[in-house]
Amino acid sequence: MSKMVRLIRESFAVVEPHTDDVARFFYGMLFSLSPATRELFAVNMEVQRSRLLRALVHVIQMVDKPDELLPFLHQLGRDHRKFGVVTAHYEAVGTALLAAIKRYAGDAWTDSVERAWAEAYTVMASAMTEAAAADDGPAWYSGQIVHHERLSWDLAVIRIQPDHPVPYQPGQYVSVEVPQRPRLWRYLTPANAPSDDGIMEFHIRSVEGGWVSRALVGHARPGDQWRIGSPMGRLTVDRENSPDVLMIAGGTGLTPMRAIIDDLAQYGENPRVQLFYGGRTREDLYDLENLQRIAMHNPWLTITPVLENDPGVSGAEHGTLAEVVTRYGAWKDWDVLVSGSPSMIRATVSRMLVAGTALDHIRYDPFTLD
């Protein structure tokens, strides 16, 4: 196992500087081997390519941690049912993936490396197909918008009423397909804990180049029908067994933390929760007053606003989230949950590791922002 892990990581290190080319080659090869798979994807492949690479990097980071990797692959397999993926598709994906890595690995590609990648992919595909076959729930859930509120020019709150309650845990995310952008599935995180009426609340910020986010902020309307995929993610808190929890959220990366806090607020006793909630300016902290009201009634919760570019505001820490959080030390023995843009997650996790935070105490999800 250790040799396989080493060979995979070493060969991927050679390929990583060419990841955009790897992704283009992979999808070209896949659609050549299995033309029917082209129908599973939207016309615009840009985001899908970046998502593939995030998945690959995430799997490679966890390849020697089966206790974490297998649950992730099981979730991915269940989620992929919404595409109508069948076993034959996995075979074509494996062939295309190995061909793409081989093309850009150069002299680093040897028979031993090829065997290591083939073995690893077989484990991945088996875990995903077995989880998909064992899931007797629906491939997706239907729901409709019952509330659309624009908080600012680039931010909206949308509430969805599913036909049947979606069985997510507070902090998990789901994939959604919306009528404005057919086949462009995107990952969104409910900002509320599961409720008796099943309503799911989403906070969506329009991002530059974001086909789906801009359509939802500007053009979604009550009555729109959504498709919602299987829940995924590991930003959850076991309130009875968890140590104290450090939450680090940038922008709408707040939503998984807000769902967890919403759930914990039902109980009198909880682990201590310290939330650092960051944005460039005070206006970015759109939910701060609500969070502070919750904290007033729940002594286990502490909210620390963090502003990167608004030095005149009092009552907040100033700097990046990575800088501010590590000023407080290494947070030894705390569970650390991080959510935000990929660049914010990278910067924060890297700085915490340097400060002495243990890697196995840090959790973040790979797909939550597109």
Side-chain angles (χ1 to χ4, degrees), residues 35 42 47 49 63 79 90 95 134 140 265 280 284 318 324 345:
V47 170
R49 283 196 286 267
V63 74
D79 183 57
Y90 282 99
T95 302
W140 68 80
R280 291 184 303 279
D284 289 334
H318 294 275
V324 170
I345 292 173

Side-chain angles (χ1 to χ4, degrees), residues 261 271-275 291 294-296 298-303:
I261 290 169
R272 275 189 300 167
V273 175
Q274 170 84 52
L275 168 64
L291 290 165
I294 297 172
M296 284 175 61
N298 293 279
W300 48 267
L301 177 62
T302 304
I303 309 293

Side-chain angles (χ1 to χ4, degrees), residues 86-105:
V86 296
T87 302
H89 294 151
Y90 282 99
E91 294 168 5
V93 166
T95 302
L97 178 62
L98 265 65
I101 294 169
K102 177 179 181 179
R103 180 180 178 89
Y104 290 94

Side-chain angles (χ1 to χ4, degrees), residues 261-281:
I261 290 169
D262 186 31
D263 180 58
L264 294 177
Q266 302 174 64
Y267 305 95
E269 292 188 14
N270 287 305
R272 275 189 300 167
V273 175
Q274 170 84 52
L275 168 64
F276 287 83
Y277 176 28
R280 291 184 303 279
T281 66

Side-chain angles (χ1 to χ4, degrees), residues 138 140-147 158-168 174-176 190 192-202 223-231:
W140 68 80
Y141 299 82
S142 296
Q144 76 168 16
I145 294 181
V146 293
H147 177 85
I158 296 178
R159 295 192 184 98
I160 297 288
Q161 177 72 72
D163 294 346
H164 303 283
V166 178
Y168 69 97
V174 295
S175 55
V176 304
N192 62 312
S195 58
D196 292 340
D197 58 13
I199 286 179
M200 305 169 77
E201 179 174 306
F202 297 96
D224 285 357
Q225 293 287 326
W226 284 18
R227 293 204 294 176
I228 303 166
S230 296

Side-chain angles (χ1 to χ4, degrees), residues 324-351:
V324 170
V325 168
T326 51
R327 278 180 211 153
Y328 284 71
W331 300 93
K332 293 187 186 299
D333 304 321
W334 290 59
D335 272 355
V336 181
L337 309 182
V338 188
S339 179
S341 69
S343 59
M344 169 269 183
I345 292 173
R346 279 195 299 273
T348 303
V349 171
S350 297
R351 190 140 181 164

